[in-house]
Amino acid sequence: MSASEKAKAKTEQAKGKSKETLGNAVGNDRMAAEGQAVKTKGDAREAKEKTKDTLKP
């Protein structure tokens, strides 16, 4: 996994988790859902990079 892509994935995961937590804390369902979406995007990016690493010869 390239370092920059790994960093992007971790950053997206952290931003999403914090936004989701803040949304839940203040009772804003839309903010919580947006945070969950960003976190999921980060998870997908990380999975893609791990798959690429696995398939390398």
mmCIF file of all heavy atoms in Angstrom:
data_model
loop_
_atom_site.group_PDB
_atom_site.id
_atom_site.type_symbol
_atom_site.label_atom_id
_atom_site.label_comp_id
_atom_site.label_asym_id
_atom_site.label_seq_id
_atom_site.Cartn_x
_atom_site.Cartn_y
_atom_site.Cartn_z
ATOM 1 N N MET A 1 0.860 -1.171 0.000
ATOM 2 C CA MET A 1 0.000 0.000 0.000
ATOM 3 C C MET A 1 0.902 1.228 0.000
ATOM 4 O O MET A 1 1.799 1.327 0.813
ATOM 5 C CB MET A 1 -0.891 -0.026 1.247
ATOM 6 C CG MET A 1 -1.826 1.132 1.345
ATOM 7 S SD MET A 1 -2.824 1.217 2.845
ATOM 8 C CE MET A 1 -3.688 -0.298 2.872
ATOM 9 N N SER A 2 0.666 2.130 -0.924
ATOM 10 C CA SER A 2 1.476 3.334 -0.947
ATOM 11 C C SER A 2 1.180 4.172 0.288
ATOM 12 O O SER A 2 0.050 4.186 0.803
ATOM 13 C CB SER A 2 1.217 4.133 -2.221
ATOM 14 O OG SER A 2 -0.037 4.759 -2.173
ATOM 15 N N ALA A 3 2.198 4.835 0.748
ATOM 16 C CA ALA A 3 2.074 5.602 1.988
ATOM 17 C C ALA A 3 1.032 6.716 1.867
ATOM 18 O O ALA A 3 0.265 6.954 2.804
ATOM 19 C CB ALA A 3 3.423 6.184 2.379
ATOM 20 N N SER A 4 0.983 7.373 0.710
ATOM 21 C CA SER A 4 0.035 8.478 0.564
ATOM 22 C C SER A 4 -1.407 7.979 0.542
ATOM 23 O O SER A 4 -2.300 8.610 1.113
ATOM 24 C CB SER A 4 0.330 9.286 -0.691
ATOM 25 O OG SER A 4 0.118 8.511 -1.846
ATOM 26 N N GLU A 5 -1.650 6.854 -0.126
ATOM 27 C CA GLU A 5 -3.006 6.302 -0.164
ATOM 28 C C GLU A 5 -3.417 5.788 1.216
ATOM 29 O O GLU A 5 -4.573 5.922 1.620
ATOM 30 C CB GLU A 5 -3.109 5.189 -1.200
ATOM 31 C CG GLU A 5 -3.057 5.679 -2.630
ATOM 32 C CD GLU A 5 -4.207 6.608 -2.987
ATOM 33 O OE1 GLU A 5 -5.367 6.291 -2.677
ATOM 34 O OE2 GLU A 5 -3.931 7.659 -3.584
ATOM 35 N N LYS A 6 -2.485 5.201 1.925
ATOM 36 C CA LYS A 6 -2.771 4.720 3.278
ATOM 37 C C LYS A 6 -3.122 5.904 4.176
ATOM 38 O O LYS A 6 -4.068 5.838 4.959
ATOM 39 C CB LYS A 6 -1.573 3.968 3.830
ATOM 40 C CG LYS A 6 -1.812 3.363 5.188
ATOM 41 C CD LYS A 6 -0.623 2.557 5.666
ATOM 42 C CE LYS A 6 -0.898 1.956 7.027
ATOM 43 N NZ LYS A 6 0.248 1.180 7.517
ATOM 44 N N ALA A 7 -2.379 6.984 4.044
ATOM 45 C CA ALA A 7 -2.644 8.177 4.844
ATOM 46 C C ALA A 7 -4.015 8.764 4.513
ATOM 47 O O ALA A 7 -4.758 9.180 5.408
ATOM 48 C CB ALA A 7 -1.559 9.216 4.614
ATOM 49 N N LYS A 8 -4.360 8.791 3.217
ATOM 50 C CA LYS A 8 -5.679 9.297 2.816
ATOM 51 C C LYS A 8 -6.793 8.451 3.427
ATOM 52 O O LYS A 8 -7.796 8.976 3.906
ATOM 53 C CB LYS A 8 -5.821 9.293 1.291
ATOM 54 C CG LYS A 8 -5.078 10.373 0.578
ATOM 55 C CD LYS A 8 -5.318 10.264 -0.917
ATOM 56 C CE LYS A 8 -4.469 11.213 -1.710
ATOM 57 N NZ LYS A 8 -4.679 11.059 -3.157
ATOM 58 N N ALA A 9 -6.600 7.135 3.393
ATOM 59 C CA ALA A 9 -7.618 6.238 3.943
ATOM 60 C C ALA A 9 -7.800 6.477 5.439
ATOM 61 O O ALA A 9 -8.926 6.585 5.928
ATOM 62 C CB ALA A 9 -7.238 4.783 3.683
ATOM 63 N N LYS A 10 -6.699 6.566 6.160
ATOM 64 C CA LYS A 10 -6.771 6.776 7.606
ATOM 65 C C LYS A 10 -7.378 8.141 7.934
ATOM 66 O O LYS A 10 -8.151 8.272 8.879
ATOM 67 C CB LYS A 10 -5.380 6.652 8.245
ATOM 68 C CG LYS A 10 -4.832 5.250 8.212
ATOM 69 C CD LYS A 10 -5.682 4.306 9.031
ATOM 70 C CE LYS A 10 -5.126 2.906 9.024
ATOM 71 N NZ LYS A 10 -5.995 1.966 9.708
ATOM 72 N N THR A 11 -7.039 9.158 7.131
ATOM 73 C CA THR A 11 -7.593 10.499 7.351
ATOM 74 C C THR A 11 -9.099 10.493 7.127
ATOM 75 O O THR A 11 -9.851 11.059 7.931
ATOM 76 C CB THR A 11 -6.925 11.520 6.403
ATOM 77 O OG1 THR A 11 -5.526 11.530 6.652
ATOM 78 C CG2 THR A 11 -7.485 12.912 6.617
ATOM 79 N N GLU A 12 -9.546 9.856 6.044
ATOM 80 C CA GLU A 12 -10.992 9.773 5.775
ATOM 81 C C GLU A 12 -11.708 9.026 6.893
ATOM 82 O O GLU A 12 -12.791 9.428 7.316
ATOM 83 C CB GLU A 12 -11.248 9.079 4.445
ATOM 84 C CG GLU A 12 -10.981 9.941 3.245
ATOM 85 C CD GLU A 12 -11.206 9.210 1.933
ATOM 86 O OE1 GLU A 12 -11.201 7.971 1.909
ATOM 87 O OE2 GLU A 12 -11.382 9.909 0.920
ATOM 88 N N GLN A 13 -11.111 7.952 7.363
ATOM 89 C CA GLN A 13 -11.722 7.178 8.439
ATOM 90 C C GLN A 13 -11.849 8.033 9.708
ATOM 91 O O GLN A 13 -12.894 8.027 10.363
ATOM 92 C CB GLN A 13 -10.911 5.920 8.721
ATOM 93 C CG GLN A 13 -10.997 4.888 7.622
ATOM 94 C CD GLN A 13 -9.990 3.774 7.780
ATOM 95 O OE1 GLN A 13 -8.974 3.920 8.440
ATOM 96 N NE2 GLN A 13 -10.268 2.633 7.147
ATOM 97 N N ALA A 14 -10.793 8.775 10.045
ATOM 98 C CA ALA A 14 -10.814 9.597 11.253
ATOM 99 C C ALA A 14 -11.808 10.748 11.142
ATOM 100 O O ALA A 14 -12.576 11.017 12.072
ATOM 101 C CB ALA A 14 -9.417 10.137 11.541
ATOM 102 N N LYS A 15 -11.815 11.426 9.990
ATOM 103 C CA LYS A 15 -12.771 12.524 9.778
ATOM 104 C C LYS A 15 -14.203 12.022 9.846
ATOM 105 O O LYS A 15 -15.065 12.650 10.469
ATOM 106 C CB LYS A 15 -12.539 13.189 8.421
ATOM 107 C CG LYS A 15 -11.360 14.096 8.357
ATOM 108 C CD LYS A 15 -11.257 14.717 6.975
ATOM 109 C CE LYS A 15 -10.086 15.652 6.854
ATOM 110 N NZ LYS A 15 -9.987 16.238 5.511
ATOM 111 N N GLY A 16 -14.443 10.893 9.206
ATOM 112 C CA GLY A 16 -15.791 10.326 9.206
ATOM 113 C C GLY A 16 -16.246 9.934 10.596
ATOM 114 O O GLY A 16 -17.378 10.209 10.991
ATOM 115 N N LYS A 17 -15.363 9.302 11.346
ATOM 116 C CA LYS A 17 -15.710 8.865 12.701
ATOM 117 C C LYS A 17 -16.008 10.066 13.593
ATOM 118 O O LYS A 17 -16.980 10.053 14.349
ATOM 119 C CB LYS A 17 -14.569 8.020 13.286
ATOM 120 C CG LYS A 17 -14.850 7.493 14.664
ATOM 121 C CD LYS A 17 -16.004 6.522 14.666
ATOM 122 C CE LYS A 17 -16.223 5.941 16.045
ATOM 123 N NZ LYS A 17 -17.475 5.207 16.135
ATOM 124 N N SER A 18 -15.184 11.107 13.500
ATOM 125 C CA SER A 18 -15.426 12.275 14.337
ATOM 126 C C SER A 18 -16.717 12.992 13.954
ATOM 127 O O SER A 18 -17.471 13.434 14.824
ATOM 128 C CB SER A 18 -14.241 13.233 14.295
ATOM 129 O OG SER A 18 -14.038 13.716 13.004
ATOM 130 N N LYS A 19 -16.988 13.094 12.653
ATOM 131 C CA LYS A 19 -18.222 13.744 12.206
ATOM 132 C C LYS A 19 -19.443 12.923 12.624
ATOM 133 O O LYS A 19 -20.453 13.476 13.057
ATOM 134 C CB LYS A 19 -18.197 13.916 10.690
ATOM 135 C CG LYS A 19 -19.297 14.789 10.151
ATOM 136 C CD LYS A 19 -19.078 15.102 8.679
ATOM 137 C CE LYS A 19 -20.098 16.094 8.174
ATOM 138 N NZ LYS A 19 -19.846 16.461 6.774
ATOM 139 N N GLU A 20 -19.326 11.607 12.522
ATOM 140 C CA GLU A 20 -20.413 10.728 12.940
ATOM 141 C C GLU A 20 -20.671 10.870 14.445
ATOM 142 O O GLU A 20 -21.819 10.997 14.886
ATOM 143 C CB GLU A 20 -20.066 9.285 12.599
ATOM 144 C CG GLU A 20 -21.127 8.273 13.004
ATOM 145 C CD GLU A 20 -20.709 6.847 12.709
ATOM 146 O OE1 GLU A 20 -19.532 6.578 12.389
ATOM 147 O OE2 GLU A 20 -21.587 5.980 12.802
ATOM 148 N N THR A 21 -19.616 10.878 15.227
ATOM 149 C CA THR A 21 -19.741 11.006 16.679
ATOM 150 C C THR A 21 -20.351 12.348 17.060
ATOM 151 O O THR A 21 -21.236 12.409 17.917
ATOM 152 C CB THR A 21 -18.363 10.841 17.346
ATOM 153 O OG1 THR A 21 -17.841 9.557 16.990
ATOM 154 C CG2 THR A 21 -18.455 10.948 18.848
ATOM 155 N N LEU A 22 -19.886 13.417 16.419
ATOM 156 C CA LEU A 22 -20.428 14.751 16.694
ATOM 157 C C LEU A 22 -21.906 14.818 16.320
ATOM 158 O O LEU A 22 -22.721 15.354 17.073
ATOM 159 C CB LEU A 22 -19.643 15.811 15.935
ATOM 160 C CG LEU A 22 -20.094 17.248 16.133
ATOM 161 C CD1 LEU A 22 -19.967 17.663 17.604
ATOM 162 C CD2 LEU A 22 -19.275 18.184 15.256
ATOM 163 N N GLY A 23 -22.249 14.252 15.177
ATOM 164 C CA GLY A 23 -23.648 14.242 14.746
ATOM 165 C C GLY A 23 -24.538 13.506 15.732
ATOM 166 O O GLY A 23 -25.637 13.958 16.048
ATOM 167 N N ASN A 24 -24.053 12.369 16.225
ATOM 168 C CA ASN A 24 -24.826 11.615 17.222
ATOM 169 C C ASN A 24 -24.941 12.381 18.531
ATOM 170 O O ASN A 24 -25.982 12.357 19.188
ATOM 171 C CB ASN A 24 -24.195 10.248 17.461
ATOM 172 C CG ASN A 24 -24.418 9.296 16.313
ATOM 173 O OD1 ASN A 24 -25.398 9.393 15.590
ATOM 174 N ND2 ASN A 24 -23.491 8.375 16.126
ATOM 175 N N ALA A 25 -23.874 13.082 18.912
ATOM 176 C CA ALA A 25 -23.868 13.814 20.177
ATOM 177 C C ALA A 25 -24.864 14.967 20.184
ATOM 178 O O ALA A 25 -25.510 15.223 21.196
ATOM 179 C CB ALA A 25 -22.468 14.336 20.479
ATOM 180 N N VAL A 26 -24.974 15.655 19.051
ATOM 181 C CA VAL A 26 -25.881 16.802 18.995
ATOM 182 C C VAL A 26 -27.253 16.435 18.447
ATOM 183 O O VAL A 26 -28.130 17.286 18.334
ATOM 184 C CB VAL A 26 -25.278 17.974 18.177
ATOM 185 C CG1 VAL A 26 -24.022 18.496 18.817
ATOM 186 C CG2 VAL A 26 -25.042 17.592 16.740
ATOM 187 N N GLY A 27 -27.433 15.179 18.087
ATOM 188 C CA GLY A 27 -28.735 14.737 17.591
ATOM 189 C C GLY A 27 -28.999 15.080 16.142
ATOM 190 O O GLY A 27 -30.146 15.149 15.714
ATOM 191 N N ASN A 28 -27.938 15.308 15.376
ATOM 192 C CA ASN A 28 -28.073 15.653 13.964
ATOM 193 C C ASN A 28 -27.866 14.381 13.141
ATOM 194 O O ASN A 28 -26.733 13.966 12.881
ATOM 195 C CB ASN A 28 -27.044 16.727 13.596
ATOM 196 C CG ASN A 28 -27.227 17.268 12.196
ATOM 197 O OD1 ASN A 28 -27.745 16.586 11.322
ATOM 198 N ND2 ASN A 28 -26.779 18.501 11.986
ATOM 199 N N ASP A 29 -28.957 13.769 12.727
ATOM 200 C CA ASP A 29 -28.887 12.508 11.990
ATOM 201 C C ASP A 29 -28.194 12.659 10.639
ATOM 202 O O ASP A 29 -27.490 11.751 10.195
ATOM 203 C CB ASP A 29 -30.287 11.931 11.785
ATOM 204 C CG ASP A 29 -30.923 11.487 13.095
ATOM 205 O OD1 ASP A 29 -30.175 11.181 14.046
ATOM 206 O OD2 ASP A 29 -32.164 11.433 13.152
ATOM 207 N N ARG A 30 -28.396 13.796 9.992
ATOM 208 C CA ARG A 30 -27.774 14.006 8.682
ATOM 209 C C ARG A 30 -26.254 14.058 8.807
ATOM 210 O O ARG A 30 -25.537 13.450 8.018
ATOM 211 C CB ARG A 30 -28.292 15.294 8.058
ATOM 212 C CG ARG A 30 -27.710 15.547 6.695
ATOM 213 C CD ARG A 30 -28.315 16.765 6.052
ATOM 214 N NE ARG A 30 -27.671 16.988 4.766
ATOM 215 C CZ ARG A 30 -27.983 17.956 3.957
ATOM 216 N NH1 ARG A 30 -28.956 18.787 4.265
ATOM 217 N NH2 ARG A 30 -27.344 18.117 2.838
ATOM 218 N N MET A 31 -25.756 14.774 9.821
ATOM 219 C CA MET A 31 -24.315 14.861 10.038
ATOM 220 C C MET A 31 -23.739 13.483 10.371
ATOM 221 O O MET A 31 -22.671 13.112 9.882
ATOM 222 C CB MET A 31 -23.975 15.841 11.157
ATOM 223 C CG MET A 31 -22.480 16.018 11.393
ATOM 224 S SD MET A 31 -22.069 17.064 12.797
ATOM 225 C CE MET A 31 -22.540 18.654 12.175
ATOM 226 N N ALA A 32 -24.450 12.721 11.174
ATOM 227 C CA ALA A 32 -24.006 11.377 11.531
ATOM 228 C C ALA A 32 -23.943 10.485 10.293
ATOM 229 O O ALA A 32 -22.985 9.719 10.111
ATOM 230 C CB ALA A 32 -24.929 10.774 12.582
ATOM 231 N N ALA A 33 -24.928 10.601 9.423
ATOM 232 C CA ALA A 33 -24.951 9.800 8.196
ATOM 233 C C ALA A 33 -23.822 10.204 7.255
ATOM 234 O O ALA A 33 -23.187 9.349 6.634
ATOM 235 C CB ALA A 33 -26.300 9.946 7.499
ATOM 236 N N GLU A 34 -23.562 11.504 7.151
ATOM 237 C CA GLU A 34 -22.458 11.968 6.308
ATOM 238 C C GLU A 34 -21.127 11.462 6.850
ATOM 239 O O GLU A 34 -20.248 11.054 6.082
ATOM 240 C CB GLU A 34 -22.445 13.495 6.241
ATOM 241 C CG GLU A 34 -23.571 14.082 5.420
ATOM 242 C CD GLU A 34 -23.645 15.596 5.506
ATOM 243 O OE1 GLU A 34 -22.822 16.208 6.233
ATOM 244 O OE2 GLU A 34 -24.533 16.165 4.853
ATOM 245 N N GLY A 35 -20.972 11.476 8.152
ATOM 246 C CA GLY A 35 -19.755 10.959 8.769
ATOM 247 C C GLY A 35 -19.581 9.483 8.500
ATOM 248 O O GLY A 35 -18.480 9.016 8.195
ATOM 249 N N GLN A 36 -20.660 8.737 8.579
ATOM 250 C CA GLN A 36 -20.612 7.301 8.296
ATOM 251 C C GLN A 36 -20.206 7.064 6.841
ATOM 252 O O GLN A 36 -19.415 6.163 6.556
ATOM 253 C CB GLN A 36 -21.971 6.660 8.578
ATOM 254 C CG GLN A 36 -22.023 5.174 8.273
ATOM 255 C CD GLN A 36 -21.126 4.344 9.165
ATOM 256 O OE1 GLN A 36 -20.973 4.650 10.327
ATOM 257 N NE2 GLN A 36 -20.532 3.310 8.625
ATOM 258 N N ALA A 37 -20.703 7.892 5.932
ATOM 259 C CA ALA A 37 -20.369 7.752 4.513
ATOM 260 C C ALA A 37 -18.885 8.021 4.266
ATOM 261 O O ALA A 37 -18.232 7.282 3.521
ATOM 262 C CB ALA A 37 -21.222 8.699 3.678
ATOM 263 N N VAL A 38 -18.342 9.043 4.897
ATOM 264 C CA VAL A 38 -16.923 9.366 4.736
ATOM 265 C C VAL A 38 -16.062 8.243 5.319
ATOM 266 O O VAL A 38 -15.060 7.836 4.717
ATOM 267 C CB VAL A 38 -16.576 10.717 5.401
ATOM 268 C CG1 VAL A 38 -15.074 10.967 5.409
ATOM 269 C CG2 VAL A 38 -17.295 11.854 4.699
ATOM 270 N N LYS A 39 -16.471 7.729 6.462
ATOM 271 C CA LYS A 39 -15.736 6.634 7.096
ATOM 272 C C LYS A 39 -15.756 5.398 6.205
ATOM 273 O O LYS A 39 -14.738 4.721 6.024
ATOM 274 C CB LYS A 39 -16.349 6.318 8.457
ATOM 275 C CG LYS A 39 -15.615 5.279 9.249
ATOM 276 C CD LYS A 39 -16.205 5.167 10.649
ATOM 277 C CE LYS A 39 -15.837 3.850 11.241
ATOM 278 N NZ LYS A 39 -16.962 2.999 11.508
ATOM 279 N N THR A 40 -16.887 5.104 5.621
ATOM 280 C CA THR A 40 -17.016 3.955 4.728
ATOM 281 C C THR A 40 -16.138 4.130 3.486
ATOM 282 O O THR A 40 -15.516 3.172 3.020
ATOM 283 C CB THR A 40 -18.481 3.760 4.329
ATOM 284 O OG1 THR A 40 -19.253 3.555 5.515
ATOM 285 C CG2 THR A 40 -18.656 2.571 3.402
ATOM 286 N N LYS A 41 -16.076 5.348 2.980
ATOM 287 C CA LYS A 41 -15.212 5.631 1.829
ATOM 288 C C LYS A 41 -13.750 5.360 2.183
ATOM 289 O O LYS A 41 -13.008 4.784 1.392
ATOM 290 C CB LYS A 41 -15.396 7.082 1.390
ATOM 291 C CG LYS A 41 -14.618 7.469 0.164
ATOM 292 C CD LYS A 41 -14.906 8.912 -0.219
ATOM 293 C CE LYS A 41 -14.028 9.365 -1.354
ATOM 294 N NZ LYS A 41 -14.215 10.793 -1.643
ATOM 295 N N GLY A 42 -13.345 5.752 3.375
ATOM 296 C CA GLY A 42 -11.985 5.478 3.832
ATOM 297 C C GLY A 42 -11.729 3.997 3.989
ATOM 298 O O GLY A 42 -10.647 3.498 3.642
ATOM 299 N N ASP A 43 -12.712 3.279 4.501
ATOM 300 C CA ASP A 43 -12.586 1.823 4.638
ATOM 301 C C ASP A 43 -12.423 1.167 3.268
ATOM 302 O O ASP A 43 -11.610 0.256 3.103
ATOM 303 C CB ASP A 43 -13.816 1.233 5.345
ATOM 304 C CG ASP A 43 -13.925 1.630 6.802
ATOM 305 O OD1 ASP A 43 -12.911 2.068 7.393
ATOM 306 O OD2 ASP A 43 -15.038 1.506 7.357
ATOM 307 N N ALA A 44 -13.190 1.638 2.290
ATOM 308 C CA ALA A 44 -13.112 1.078 0.943
ATOM 309 C C ALA A 44 -11.756 1.364 0.304
ATOM 310 O O ALA A 44 -11.164 0.495 -0.348
ATOM 311 C CB ALA A 44 -14.233 1.643 0.067
ATOM 312 N N ARG A 45 -11.239 2.568 0.510
ATOM 313 C CA ARG A 45 -9.929 2.930 -0.030
ATOM 314 C C ARG A 45 -8.848 2.036 0.583
ATOM 315 O O ARG A 45 -7.969 1.533 -0.112
ATOM 316 C CB ARG A 45 -9.608 4.395 0.255
ATOM 317 C CG ARG A 45 -8.262 4.848 -0.320
ATOM 318 C CD ARG A 45 -7.913 6.272 0.089
ATOM 319 N NE ARG A 45 -8.895 7.245 -0.260
ATOM 320 C CZ ARG A 45 -8.905 7.938 -1.405
ATOM 321 N NH1 ARG A 45 -7.986 7.733 -2.305
ATOM 322 N NH2 ARG A 45 -9.832 8.842 -1.630
ATOM 323 N N GLU A 46 -8.935 1.804 1.882
ATOM 324 C CA GLU A 46 -7.961 0.951 2.550
ATOM 325 C C GLU A 46 -8.045 -0.485 2.030
ATOM 326 O O GLU A 46 -7.020 -1.123 1.768
ATOM 327 C CB GLU A 46 -8.187 0.972 4.065
ATOM 328 C CG GLU A 46 -7.159 0.173 4.831
ATOM 329 C CD GLU A 46 -7.347 0.264 6.327
ATOM 330 O OE1 GLU A 46 -8.510 0.385 6.799
ATOM 331 O OE2 GLU A 46 -6.340 0.207 7.037
ATOM 332 N N ALA A 47 -9.246 -0.999 1.853
ATOM 333 C CA ALA A 47 -9.425 -2.358 1.347
ATOM 334 C C ALA A 47 -8.870 -2.486 -0.071
ATOM 335 O O ALA A 47 -8.224 -3.491 -0.405
ATOM 336 C CB ALA A 47 -10.902 -2.731 1.369
ATOM 337 N N LYS A 48 -9.095 -1.472 -0.895
ATOM 338 C CA LYS A 48 -8.587 -1.479 -2.269
ATOM 339 C C LYS A 48 -7.065 -1.547 -2.270
ATOM 340 O O LYS A 48 -6.465 -2.336 -3.006
ATOM 341 C CB LYS A 48 -9.057 -0.232 -3.005
ATOM 342 C CG LYS A 48 -8.521 -0.111 -4.428
ATOM 343 C CD LYS A 48 -8.870 1.219 -5.049
ATOM 344 C CE LYS A 48 -7.847 2.229 -4.588
ATOM 345 N NZ LYS A 48 -7.896 3.513 -5.244
ATOM 346 N N GLU A 49 -6.430 -0.747 -1.435
ATOM 347 C CA GLU A 49 -4.973 -0.731 -1.381
ATOM 348 C C GLU A 49 -4.418 -2.048 -0.854
ATOM 349 O O GLU A 49 -3.396 -2.536 -1.333
ATOM 350 C CB GLU A 49 -4.484 0.448 -0.538
ATOM 351 C CG GLU A 49 -4.730 1.788 -1.180
ATOM 352 C CD GLU A 49 -4.052 1.936 -2.540
ATOM 353 O OE1 GLU A 49 -2.883 1.541 -2.689
ATOM 354 O OE2 GLU A 49 -4.712 2.433 -3.466
ATOM 355 N N LYS A 50 -5.078 -2.640 0.117
ATOM 356 C CA LYS A 50 -4.635 -3.929 0.647
ATOM 357 C C LYS A 50 -4.749 -5.009 -0.424
ATOM 358 O O LYS A 50 -3.890 -5.881 -0.536
ATOM 359 C CB LYS A 50 -5.426 -4.323 1.891
ATOM 360 C CG LYS A 50 -5.014 -3.548 3.111
ATOM 361 C CD LYS A 50 -5.755 -4.024 4.339
ATOM 362 C CE LYS A 50 -5.303 -3.251 5.566
ATOM 363 N NZ LYS A 50 -5.981 -3.707 6.763
ATOM 364 N N THR A 51 -5.804 -4.950 -1.219
ATOM 365 C CA THR A 51 -5.988 -5.908 -2.300
ATOM 366 C C THR A 51 -4.884 -5.739 -3.344
ATOM 367 O O THR A 51 -4.322 -6.735 -3.818
ATOM 368 C CB THR A 51 -7.360 -5.737 -2.963
ATOM 369 O OG1 THR A 51 -8.365 -5.917 -1.981
ATOM 370 C CG2 THR A 51 -7.559 -6.720 -4.096
ATOM 371 N N LYS A 52 -4.554 -4.509 -3.675
ATOM 372 C CA LYS A 52 -3.490 -4.257 -4.634
ATOM 373 C C LYS A 52 -2.168 -4.821 -4.113
ATOM 374 O O LYS A 52 -1.392 -5.386 -4.878
ATOM 375 C CB LYS A 52 -3.366 -2.758 -4.905
ATOM 376 C CG LYS A 52 -4.441 -2.222 -5.820
ATOM 377 C CD LYS A 52 -4.489 -0.701 -5.917
ATOM 378 C CE LYS A 52 -3.226 -0.009 -6.258
ATOM 379 N NZ LYS A 52 -3.399 1.458 -6.394
ATOM 380 N N ASP A 53 -1.899 -4.661 -2.815
ATOM 381 C CA ASP A 53 -0.667 -5.184 -2.230
ATOM 382 C C ASP A 53 -0.641 -6.715 -2.285
ATOM 383 O O ASP A 53 0.397 -7.308 -2.536
ATOM 384 C CB ASP A 53 -0.510 -4.728 -0.781
ATOM 385 C CG ASP A 53 -0.102 -3.275 -0.656
ATOM 386 O OD1 ASP A 53 0.334 -2.689 -1.676
ATOM 387 O OD2 ASP A 53 -0.210 -2.723 0.452
ATOM 388 N N THR A 54 -1.781 -7.339 -2.056
ATOM 389 C CA THR A 54 -1.866 -8.787 -2.065
ATOM 390 C C THR A 54 -1.611 -9.355 -3.460
ATOM 391 O O THR A 54 -0.995 -10.412 -3.606
ATOM 392 C CB THR A 54 -3.257 -9.237 -1.580
ATOM 393 O OG1 THR A 54 -3.483 -8.717 -0.282
ATOM 394 C CG2 THR A 54 -3.369 -10.734 -1.545
ATOM 395 N N LEU A 55 -2.058 -8.653 -4.481
ATOM 396 C CA LEU A 55 -1.942 -9.146 -5.842
ATOM 397 C C LEU A 55 -0.583 -8.867 -6.477
ATOM 398 O O LEU A 55 -0.300 -9.376 -7.563
ATOM 399 C CB LEU A 55 -3.045 -8.557 -6.707
ATOM 400 C CG LEU A 55 -4.466 -8.943 -6.303
ATOM 401 C CD1 LEU A 55 -5.476 -8.214 -7.177
ATOM 402 C CD2 LEU A 55 -4.665 -10.442 -6.388
ATOM 403 N N LYS A 56 0.250 -8.073 -5.808
ATOM 404 C CA LYS A 56 1.572 -7.795 -6.368
ATOM 405 C C LYS A 56 2.427 -9.066 -6.337
ATOM 406 O O LYS A 56 2.380 -9.814 -5.377
ATOM 407 C CB LYS A 56 2.274 -6.704 -5.560
ATOM 408 C CG LYS A 56 1.768 -5.327 -5.840
ATOM 409 C CD LYS A 56 2.567 -4.300 -5.104
ATOM 410 C CE LYS A 56 2.057 -2.895 -5.371
ATOM 411 N NZ LYS A 56 2.802 -1.906 -4.607
ATOM 412 N N PRO A 57 3.215 -9.278 -7.396
ATOM 413 C CA PRO A 57 4.062 -10.491 -7.437
ATOM 414 C C PRO A 57 5.223 -10.421 -6.471
ATOM 415 O O PRO A 57 5.663 -9.472 -6.024
ATOM 416 C CB PRO A 57 4.564 -10.540 -8.869
ATOM 417 C CG PRO A 57 4.206 -9.268 -9.521
ATOM 418 C CD PRO A 57 3.253 -8.548 -8.635
#
